[in-house]
Amino acid sequence: MITSPRIDLHTHSTASDGTLTPAELVRAAADAGLDVVAITDHDTTAGWAPAVAALPTGLSLVRGAELSCCWHGVEPALSLHLLAYLFDPESPELVAELARVRIARETRAERMVALLRADGVEVSWPQVLAGAAGGTVGRPHIAAALIRAGLVADTAEAFAPRWLGERYRLPKDDIDVFRAVELVRAAGGVPVFAHPRASRRGPIVPDELIADLAAAGLAGLEADHEDQSPAEQAHVRGLAAELGLLVTGSSDFHGTHKTVRLGAFTTAPQAYERILAEAGEVTPVATG
Ligand code: AMP
Ligand code: ZN
Ligand code: FE
Ligand code: FE
């Protein structure tokens, strides 16, 4: 019997806020029965080399990143996530933007820790930074410190409004989303809007912006994602069909920082092939 390949195009490792190292991530992907996995850490490509080095036989790796972006069409600006696949990791402008965003993330996390401490919450910046272990710093690393301090039971509770979801949340200094689409395309990559309709995560962008992004070079939309309801997933599919965009589905796996499992949502082979074709890669570069 011929079975369809299982493709998960959005996962995180310890290069950002996941809990498996890149090597553990690709082994876990093979163990989960995936044929293709993308490593898409926040604002970094640091996980690519160790993931390639540990790639199990038969598993294809899509090298990617999830770029922290903002849209200034409303006030205050909305933050959104852009998945970027198979771009040149040495593209100077993109490298500079990613480095800038990573530094801004550190400053922001340090300020969030200071706000917590000002309210008597026993978390320490050196410990949060050490917890990130050199990876891109994010709120899940502060969540881990709150868990260690016994103040919340798990990451989900740490993201409640009274903690990192609202009260102690500070904005990030993100990349303008139109500039990000342009930089990813200029670097030969393929940009896909991550969880564009995930209203449970916060305010969502209007469909008109997605149409404008499609005109500017956006390749696809992530429809199947745990943070989008079935109705939201259907809406994203409809919009993609209208705009001629490809559709992906993925787990957004973060190890134990989230409950979702690898391969919980997957991408159709046709969409994967279109990503490869748009990146100018007929076959994936890295196959174990
Ligand atoms: P940051 O990038 O620092 O703003 O942190 C956002 C990250 O936290 C994203 O990668 C999300 O996957 C993760 N996140 C957001 N909301 C939650 C939640 N409710 N539970 C667990 N992780 C979350
Ligand atoms: Zn994350
Ligand atoms: Fe995201
Ligand atoms: Fe993600």
Side-chain angles (χ1 to χ4, degrees), residues 11 14 34 50 63 91 113 172 176 181 231 244 254 258 261 263-264:
T11 72
T14 51
L34 292 176
R63 294 146 303 145
S91 165
V113 167
K172 301 201 299 308
D176 176 85
V181 166
H254 276 71
K258 279 190 179 179
R261 300 222 298 246

Side-chain angles (χ1 to χ4, degrees), residues 254-276:
H254 276 71
T256 56
H257 277 164
K258 279 190 179 179
T259 52
V260 74
R261 300 222 298 246
L262 280 163
F265 297 94
T266 54
T267 295
Q270 294 79 359
Y272 168 56
E273 277 153 25
R274 197 164 141 193
I275 289 172
L276 294 183

Side-chain angles (χ1 to χ4, degrees), residues 10 12 40 42 66 81 83 195 201 225 252 254 258:
H10 183 169
H12 296 264
T40 54
H42 297 284
E66 185 174 22
H81 290 173
L83 292 161
H195 44 76
R201 295 172 74 120
H225 183 287
D252 200 356
H254 276 71
K258 279 190 179 179

Side-chain angles (χ1 to χ4, degrees), residues 44-71:
T44 185
T45 59
W48 291 11
V52 169
L55 204 59
T57 306
L59 180 68
S60 296
L61 180 75
V62 178
R63 294 146 303 145
E66 185 174 22
L67 311 188
S68 303
C69 296
C70 55
W71 176 55

Side-chain angles (χ1 to χ4, degrees), residues 10 12 16-17 42-43 66 68 79 81 105 108-109 112 136-143 154-160 164-165 169-170 172 174 195 200-201 225-227 252 254 257-259:
H10 183 169
H12 296 264
S16 64
D17 54 6
H42 297 284
D43 307 307
E66 185 174 22
S68 303
S79 77
H81 290 173
R105 275 174 161 281
R108 170 236 200 187
M112 286 174 69
T136 305
V137 180
R139 279 180 289 163
H141 298 116
I142 306 176
D154 52 27
T155 312
E157 192 185 341
F159 273 84
L164 309 177
R169 180 184 185 174
L170 291 174
K172 301 201 299 308
D174 297 329
H195 44 76
R200 76 178 61 147
R201 295 172 74 120
H225 183 287
E226 67 164 355
D227 289 342
D252 200 356
H254 276 71
H257 277 164
K258 279 190 179 179
T259 52

Side-chain angles (χ1 to χ4, degrees), residues 65 67 69 80-85 176-186 189-197 205-223 236 239-248 274-275 278:
L67 311 188
C69 296
L80 53 112
H81 290 173
L82 193 73
L83 292 161
Y85 298 113
D176 176 85
V177 65
F178 286 94
R179 177 164 161 77
V181 166
E182 191 185 305
L183 288 179
V184 170
R185 284 293 193 185
V190 182
V192 171
F193 194 156
H195 44 76
R197 198 94 186 162
V205 303
D207 288 351
E208 293 71 38
L209 171 70
I210 297 178
D212 289 349
L213 288 171
L218 185 71
L221 302 176
E222 187 179 55
V236 171
L239 192 60
E242 217 174 277
L243 298 170
L245 299 174
L246 61 87
V247 167
T248 65
R274 197 164 141 193
I275 289 172
E278 291 202 21

